[in-house]
Amino acid sequence: MITDQAESIVADSTKKSSNEVVIEITNLCKSFGKQEVLKDLSLQLFNGENLAVLGKSGSGKSVLIKCIVGLLRSDSGTIKVFNQDVRTLKQKELDEVRQKIGFLFQSGALYDSMTVKENLEFPLKRMKRHLNQTEINKKILETLENVGLPEAIDKMPSQLSGGMLKRISLARTIVVDPLIMLYDEPTTGLDPITSDEISLLINDIQKKYKTSSIIITHDIECARTTANRLIMLQDGEVYDEGSLNKFEKSTDKIIKSFFR
Amino acid sequence: MRITIPVTKTKEIARQHTLKLSENTIAKKEAANNFLTDFANVLLFIGQFIKETFSRKFEFREFIHQCFVIGNKSLPLISVTGFIMGFVLTIQTRPALVRFGAGTLLPGMVTVSLIREMGPVITALICAGKVASGMGAELGSMKVTEQIEAMEVSSTHPMRFLVVTRVMAATLMIPLLILYADALGIGGSWFGANIKGDVSLVLFFSQAFSHVGFIDLIPAVIKSFFFGAVIGLVGCYKGYNAGRGTESVGKAANSAVVLASLLILIVDMIAVQITDMLAL
C-alpha cells in the first residue's frame, strides 16, 4: 500500500517538475590531501524533482551536498544555485543562498541543549526576522503537524526515538520554507517501516512545499519511493544517470549489485 | 681475531641507516609542519573571534545564558574552594608567624596572599577544570554530531553564537568568581584563626584590610580578566577544532584543561613580572 501511495506521489510530482535548472554543477573536484573524492563531477537538479544520488560509502555523496551548501570548499569547478556560483559568493550572499536550501543531516544534528520547540525556533528567528512570536509559534505547530509530531513540542532530543529525531530534524529544515532540500542519507539507521514513513514524508514535503531535492542514499527502497531521477556515483564520478526503470533493467554489474 | 664483514652486508647496513635517518627527518619535518599549522589555526581562530566580537549582531541572550552557566553554576565549587583556600593558608602560616611573635600580622598576610595571588590563580585553575573542559566537551560533541554545521546552514555564524558568547562570558564571570572566592577565603581564614585562638570578626577584618589597598586589588583584577579570556578561548578552540569521532570529544576536553592551566600559570608569571617592574 505504501508503495502504491509512493508511486502515485512520485508520478504526480514528475509531471510537475519542469526544465528549469535550480542547481547546476560543472566539473566539480574535491580532494582531501592526496585523496581525490570528487573528480570532474557534473550534474543538474531541475525544479520540482527529487534526484536520488546513489553510491557506496566513500563515493563522495555527502561531500557533494556539503560543497553545494558551502560547508566544504571545492577545489575547482562551478556550483550554481539559482544561477549564483556558491564558490565565488561572499559570506552575506552565501547566507542568502543558504536560506533557500534545507539540509537534513545524517545524524539529525538537533541541538541537544534545546527543546524541540527551541530547535525549530532557532532557524526561524534568524532567517524569518519579520515574524513575531505568535506567528513563530503558529508556524512551529503547523510544521510539527506536517511531520506528524505535534506532541513532541516540549521534548528534549534525548527523549526522542530514531524515527522521531529524523522527523523533527526534517521539521527544523522545512520550517523556513526552503526551495531546495538536501537529504543526507535520510533513512540510515532506521527500521524498514520507519524508513518507508520517512520516504513518504519526503514525497509529502516535495508536494506541500514544492521543493526540489537531492537525496543522498544507499537505501534502494528510499530511492524507489522518492526519486524522479537517479544518479550513481562511483569513485567520485557520475557512473550512470537515468530513471528508476533504466537502473532496474541495467545489466551493469555495479548497478545490479545495488538493485538485486 | 679479525672480524670481516662482507661488502654487501656493509652496504645493506648503510642503506638501512640512511633510510632510518631520512624517516626521522620526514617525521621531524611533519612535526614542524603540524606545529606551524596548529599555530596558524590558533591565530586564525583568534582573528575570527575578534572580527565576530565587534560584529553588530551580538547574541545577547546566549551571552546571558553562558554567564549563568559559567558564573552561577560554578558558585558551589568556588565557594568550597575559596573557603578551604583561606582556611588552609591560615592554619599553615599561623605557627611560623606566632614563633616570630608576628601573630597579629596573620589576617593581613593571608588577605594579601589571597587577593594578590592565591585567589586568582587557584580559582582560575579550578575554573579551567570546570569551565574549559565543559566548553571543550560541549563544542566537541556539537562538532562530532554535526550541530555546528547545522548552525552554519541555518545562516547562523557558529563562531558568533558559540565562541564569542562563551569567551565573553568567561572573561566577565571569572574575575567575579575570583573576587567571590577571595571574600570566602578571608571568611575561611577567620574561621581557621579561631580554631586555635579567639579573634572577633570585626577585629580580624580590620586587621586584614589595614594591610590591603586598592593597589593590591588592581593587578589581581586585571590578570583575572586575562585568566577568563584564556579559559574561554582555549575551551572553545579545543572544542571547535575537535576531530571526528567520540574519542576526540574526550581529547578536546582533556587538552583544554591542560592547556588552559598551563597558560594561566604563564600569564600569571608575566603579570607578576609586569607588576614588579611597575612596583605595584
Side-chain angles (χ1 to χ4, degrees):
Chain A
M1 189 194 160
I2 284 175
T3 319
D4 293 344
Q5 211 181 334
E7 275 170 5
S8 71
I9 293 170
V10 170
D12 188 29
S13 56
T14 313
K15 280 176 214 162
K16 283 176 189 170
S17 63
S18 68
N19 285 333
E20 187 197 339
V21 177
V22 287
I23 295 180
E24 186 170 23
I25 297 170
T26 322
N27 303 328
L28 187 70
C29 296
K30 175 70 188 169
S31 308
F32 293 101
K34 286 174 187 167
Q35 193 193 350
E36 275 187 282
V37 180
L38 297 176
K39 300 171 199 165
D40 255 349
L41 189 140
S42 300
L43 65 84
Q44 288 179 323
L45 175 71
F46 296 101
N47 189 18
E49 77 166 339
N50 275 353
L51 171 67
V53 179
L54 300 172
K56 60 179 187 180
S57 301
S59 57
K61 305 184 301 289
S62 298
V63 171
L64 168 68
I65 52 170
K66 285 190 177 176
C67 285
I68 293 174
V69 83
L71 282 174
L72 289 174
R73 195 170 164 75
S74 54
D75 302 331
S76 61
T78 56
I79 305 167
K80 286 187 176 172
V81 179
F82 295 112
N83 279 325
Q84 283 181 289
D85 190 354
V86 173
R87 296 182 73 244
T88 58
L89 295 179
K90 288 178 185 165
Q91 189 61 49
K92 202 180 168 189
E93 294 163 334
L94 183 62
D95 285 345
E96 280 166 17
V97 170
R98 280 174 175 168
Q99 294 190 9
K100 296 173 190 163
I101 305 175
F103 195 117
L104 180 75
F105 286 86
Q106 196 177 341
S107 62
L110 287 178
Y111 308 126
D112 45 21
S113 59
M114 301 181 194
T115 63
V116 167
K117 189 187 175 197
E118 287 165 341
N119 262 285
L120 268 72
E121 241 176 22
F122 190 87
L124 258 183
K125 281 189 170 173
R126 283 159 177 82
M127 291 187 186
K128 307 268 177 188
R129 290 179 184 272
H130 59 278
L131 297 181
N132 60 35
Q133 193 57 48
T134 320
E135 288 168 324
I136 287 174
N137 291 344
K138 197 180 156 199
K139 182 83 183 158
I140 289 171
L141 204 63
E142 185 190 307
T143 313
L144 285 175
E145 274 163 9
N146 283 343
V147 297
L149 281 174
E151 71 280 3
I153 191 160
D154 292 319
K155 286 191 174 162
M156 295 299 284
S158 56
Q159 296 171 295
L160 304 173
S161 67
M164 287 164 94
L165 268 174
K166 276 273 152 74
R167 280 170 183 268
I168 299 297
S169 308
L170 206 46
R172 186 181 64 182
T173 312
I174 58 173
V175 76
V176 289
D177 303 322
L179 300 171
I180 298 169
M181 284 291 296
L182 305 175
Y183 299 93
D184 192 2
E185 303 196 8
T187 56
T188 300
L190 301 176
D191 62 86
I193 297 168
T194 317
S195 292
D196 282 342
E197 286 172 3
I198 296 291
S199 302
L200 288 175
L201 196 56
I202 292 172
N203 285 340
D204 276 348
I205 287 165
Q206 183 195 24
K207 215 174 167 186
K208 274 184 193 160
Y209 292 84
K210 297 185 174 31
T211 54
S212 320
S213 314
I214 294 180
I215 303 148
I216 301 294
T217 187
H218 43 62
D219 174 2
I220 292 305
E221 281 314 309
C222 173
R224 276 199 181 110
T225 312
T226 57
N228 305 128
R229 190 160 61 96
L230 291 100
I231 278 181
M232 178 166 279
L233 292 191
Q234 176 77 6
D235 299 327
E237 291 171 299
V238 175
Y239 186 73
D240 206 353
E241 185 179 348
S243 65
L244 179 68
N245 201 23
K246 179 192 165 187
F247 270 73
E248 282 186 321
K249 285 178 183 163
S250 173
T251 51
D252 185 273
K253 202 178 158 190
I254 294 171
I255 297 176
K256 267 177 88 176
S257 67
F258 267 85
F259 284 85
R260 61 184 166 198
Chain B
M1 193 185 147
R2 215 175 142 196
I3 301 166
T4 51
I5 304 169
V7 179
T8 47
K9 203 172 176 183
T10 319
K11 275 184 178 173
E12 179 59 24
I13 292 167
R15 196 182 71 81
Q16 280 183 4
H17 192 66
T18 317
L19 208 67
K20 209 174 172 182
L21 271 174
S22 56
E23 274 173 7
N24 283 345
T25 317
I26 290 167
K28 278 178 187 167
K29 196 183 161 193
E30 276 177 3
N33 278 343
N34 286 345
F35 173 76
L36 288 175
T37 314
D38 281 348
F39 187 67
N41 279 341
V42 171
L43 290 182
L44 206 67
F45 184 81
I46 293 171
Q48 269 183 309
F49 165 75
I50 292 168
K51 187 186 156 203
E52 291 296 340
T53 304
F54 294 103
S55 93
R56 280 188 296 167
K57 293 172 189 166
F58 185 69
E59 298 279 353
F60 192 72
R61 280 185 65 168
E62 180 63 10
F63 167 71
I64 297 293
H65 173 69
Q66 288 306 322
C67 284
F68 176 77
V69 171
I70 295 168
N72 190 45
K73 293 201 172 173
S74 303
L75 277 180
L77 180 67
I78 298 303
S79 304
V80 175
T81 313
F83 185 85
I84 291 173
M85 209 161 43
F87 180 82
V88 168
L89 198 61
T90 306
I91 299 284
Q92 294 276 31
T93 321
R94 195 172 190 277
L97 285 178
V98 168
R99 200 180 305 147
F100 291 104
T104 51
L105 290 177
L106 184 69
M109 206 215 83
V110 171
T111 307
V112 170
S113 309
L114 278 174
I115 288 175
R116 288 190 75 118
E117 197 57 40
M118 300 290 285
V121 173
I122 291 181
T123 311
L125 289 175
I126 295 286
C127 287
K130 188 184 182 294
V131 178
S133 67
M135 285 179 186
E138 190 188 4
L139 297 196
S141 63
M142 284 184 83
K143 176 95 184 268
V144 170
T145 55
E146 299 175 307
Q147 291 177 50
I148 292 182
E149 288 183 338
M151 216 167 258
E152 216 167 315
V153 294
S154 304
S155 296
T156 304
H157 297 208
M159 189 62 137
R160 191 184 297 156
F161 186 82
L162 298 171
V163 178
V164 171
T165 52
R166 278 166 176 75
V167 177
M168 296 295 274
T171 310
L172 185 73
M173 296 319 287
I174 301 294
L176 293 177
L177 286 172
I178 286 172
L179 288 176
Y180 173 72
D182 287 348
L184 279 175
I186 297 168
S189 175
W190 172 73
F191 190 75
N194 271 287
I195 285 182
K196 286 195 174 176
D198 186 19
V199 194
S200 75
L201 189 67
V202 177
L203 179 65
F204 185 87
F205 271 80
S206 70
Q207 281 187 340
F209 286 104
S210 63
H211 292 87
V212 182
F214 268 111
I215 210 76
D216 296 304
L217 204 60
I218 290 165
V221 170
I222 292 172
K223 73 180 173 188
S224 304
F225 281 105
F226 283 97
F227 291 161
V230 162
I231 289 169
L233 277 170
V234 171
C236 288
Y237 174 76
K238 287 292 176 185
Y240 204 78
N241 290 291
R244 300 227 168 259
T246 43
E247 191 199 5
S248 60
V249 178
K251 275 186 185 170
N254 186 279
S255 55
V257 180
V258 174
L259 187 61
S261 305
L262 187 68
L263 287 177
I264 283 166
L265 294 176
I266 292 172
V267 168
D268 187 51
M269 188 182 73
I270 296 167
V272 166
Q273 289 291 317
I274 293 170
T275 314
D276 189 48
M277 271 161 49
L278 297 172
L280 289 171

